[in-house]
Amino acid sequence: DAGITQSPRHKVTETGTPVTLRCHQTENHRYMYWYRQDPGHGLRLIHYSYGVKDTDKGEVSDGYSVSRSKTEDFLLTLESATSSQTSVYFCAIREGRSSYNSPLHFGNGTRLTVT
Amino acid sequence: GQNIDQPTEMTATEGAIVQINCTYQTSGFNGLFWYQQHAGEAPTFLSYNVLDGLEEKGRFSSFLSRSKGYSYLLLKELQMKDSASYLCAVLTGGGNKLTFGTGTQLKVEL
């Protein structure tokens, strides 16, 4: 158990509303990631963070923003949710001190439905 | 850009051996990971390769050829619990970004 908690686990929201997903870790890891997983597309990187207030975009960052004001929390915000953002969202942390062979460990996911 | 290809589905028999292939074309390469994902669950780490050759870990082995942009995951003595999706992922971006293939759904039958 890499000490990752995602909240909420399930959420249904309406188009146009803002949504924030939270990822919390207990082990002080530097790197944190947000992915979405959709049938036929696999896991796609949205944003990642390499430290407090240090973030970068992934391949599908449009429509999403992130914030990391403290080491343990990485927030993903959908400013105005759209039906195309219906997905399963996974947070991940990376163990180790930035060594290449450090694997990502994933949280249990948040299932988001935008109606 | 990144391009990672895996077969969509495979079926194998309990007790047999199965090989899941992955080919990739990426800008920059810092290693290749294999993950296992059971339905409705999070992916879990299986193996990492950065040098050419075979890495063995119990019933699972992973092979890498950097010059060919090719990897495979070998599962021996298949068990029903090995029915899952197997994800190939390449580390790029100076070692910061992990890009996943779409996964191979393996079904193990009696």
Side-chain angles (χ1 to χ4, degrees), chain A residues 31-75:
Chain A
Y31 285 81
M32 299 184 75
Y33 300 78
W34 277 108
Y35 284 86
R36 60 177 289 176
Q37 187 171 37
D38 306 286
H41 291 280
L43 282 158
R44 292 180 291 174
L45 181 64
I46 305 171
H47 283 279
Y48 70 99
S49 171
Y50 46 96
V52 173
K53 293 189 166 64
D54 292 323
T55 64
D56 203 354
K57 296 179 179 180
E59 60 182 304
V60 289
S61 58
D62 287 348
Y64 301 94
S65 63
V66 289
S67 66
R68 192 162 178 207
S69 58
K70 45 187 178 177
T71 300
E72 57 265 37
D73 289 325
F74 191 32
L75 305 180

Side-chain angles (χ1 to χ4, degrees), chain A residues 31 33 35 37 40-43 45 48 50 56-59 90 94 98 100-109 111, chain B residues 2 29-31 33 35 37 40-45 48 50 85 87 91 93-103:
Chain A
Y31 285 81
Y33 300 78
Y35 284 86
Q37 187 171 37
H41 291 280
L43 282 158
L45 181 64
Y48 70 99
Y50 46 96
D56 203 354
K57 296 179 179 180
E59 60 182 304
F90 285 101
R94 187 161 170 206
S98 307
Y100 288 170
N101 63 349
S102 298
L104 266 61
H105 291 279
F106 289 84
N108 289 325
R111 185 172 294 275
Chain B
Q2 328 291 352
F29 179 83
N30 301 117
F33 290 82
Y35 280 79
Q37 186 177 24
E41 298 183 7
T44 55
F45 167 70
Y48 171 77
V50 66
S85 183
L87 313 177
L91 189 64
N96 292 331
K97 296 184 179 181
L98 194 60
T99 302
F100 285 82
T102 53

